[in-house]
């Protein structure tokens, strides 16, 4: 919850208990489109902050993403590799590349982590995934609004992103 926000030159001081900045940004963008004359050009810059620290999302959205990460990063890495092979992204005879733990002594094996480290990693990843999903939901609503207002076919979308949240995960920077 940002402490200081301005809309239309006025400071926003009232935020409900379920206020989430990413949703508020998406809602404001949708309002802008709905209030705009579809016959006139417009420029809308929607800069979701969701993909950065601090990692925060509504608890129900985090919980919905937890099961994706509970197998741990070693199992996820293998499953993603197999899925990419099935989709034909590379030849079937390719093997899973060296893991960072085998290359320069980087990330430890999932099974070597303490239960607390595993739980922290799962929670961080589930939270980040929830943040991305909420931004995606907002963009989906924005696209639907453009279509409903007859503006979609004359819209150019530019999606830009940096490297996302943070490289570190708590005390152990290797995770």
């Amino acid at each position: 919850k940002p402490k200081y926000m301005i809309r239309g030159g006025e400071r926003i001081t009232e935020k409900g208990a379920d206020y989430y900045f990413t949703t508020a940004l998406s809602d404001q963008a949708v309002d802008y489109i709905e209030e705009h004359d579809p016959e006139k050009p417009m420029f809308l810059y929607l800069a979701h902050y969701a993909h950065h620290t601090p990692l925060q999302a509504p608890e129900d959205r985090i919980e919905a993403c937890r099961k994706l990460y509970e197998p741990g990063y070693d199992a996820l890495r293998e499953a993603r590799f197999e899925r990419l092979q099935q989709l034909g992204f590379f030849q079937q005879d390719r093997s899973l590349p060296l893991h960072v733990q085998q290359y320069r002594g980087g990330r430890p094996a999932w099974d070597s982590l303490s239960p607390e480290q595993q739980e922290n990693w799962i929670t961080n990843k589930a939270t980040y995934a929830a943040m991305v999903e909420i931004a995606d939901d907002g963009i989906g609503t924005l696209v639907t609004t453009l279509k409903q207002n007859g503006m979609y076919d004359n819209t150019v979308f530019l999606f830009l992103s940096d490297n996302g949240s943070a490289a570190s995960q708590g005390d152990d920077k290797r995770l």
Side-chain angles (χ1 to χ4, degrees), residues 3-175:
K3 293 180 182 175
Y4 189 74
M5 296 186 311
I6 302 287
R7 181 187 305 135
E10 298 291 321
R11 186 171 180 178
I12 300 169
T13 57
E14 298 293 320
K15 299 182 221 55
D18 64 344
Y19 182 86
Y20 190 66
F21 190 50
T22 301
T23 303
L25 290 174
S26 296
D27 291 348
Q28 184 66 37
V30 167
D31 289 347
Y32 180 76
I33 292 167
E34 288 177 339
E35 295 169 3
H36 190 78
D37 179 352
E39 300 300 318
K40 294 184 178 177
M42 70 171 195
F43 176 78
L44 171 65
Y45 177 76
L46 174 58
H48 281 119
Y49 186 78
H51 309 97
H52 292 85
T53 56
L55 296 181
Q56 299 173 333
E59 198 59 41
D60 61 322
R61 297 296 297 257
I62 296 169
E63 286 306 311
C65 293
R66 287 186 69 72
K67 65 183 176 297
L68 299 170
Y69 297 96
E70 286 174 350
Y73 49 71
D74 289 335
L76 287 171
R77 181 173 176 268
E78 291 172 15
R80 290 172 179 170
F81 179 79
E82 289 171 11
R83 179 75 175 134
L84 288 171
Q85 273 187 315
Q86 291 170 357
L87 291 171
F89 277 84
F90 40 81
Q91 298 168 339
Q92 292 293 322
D93 64 347
R94 299 289 182 203
S95 59
L96 187 63
L98 285 177
H99 190 283
V100 72
Q101 74 191 38
Q102 299 159 316
Y103 182 72
R104 297 189 185 158
R107 178 178 285 181
W110 178 256
D111 293 339
S112 73
L113 299 180
S114 71
E116 180 183 1
Q117 287 174 308
Q118 290 179 352
E119 182 58 29
N120 287 340
W121 185 87
I122 291 167
T123 299
N124 284 336
K125 295 304 178 194
T127 304
Y128 186 75
M131 294 165 69
V132 172
E133 284 184 353
I134 293 167
D136 187 60
D137 291 348
I139 293 167
T141 302
L142 184 107
V143 168
T144 298
T145 303
L146 287 168
K147 288 178 179 179
Q148 290 170 344
N149 288 291
M151 301 165 76
Y152 179 77
D153 290 336
N154 290 322
T155 300
V156 175
F157 292 92
L158 299 175
F159 182 85
L160 307 171
S161 181
D162 62 9
N163 63 342
S165 185
S168 65
Q169 299 294 321
D171 294 333
D172 191 340
K173 307 296 186 221
R174 300 171 300 160
L175 304 182

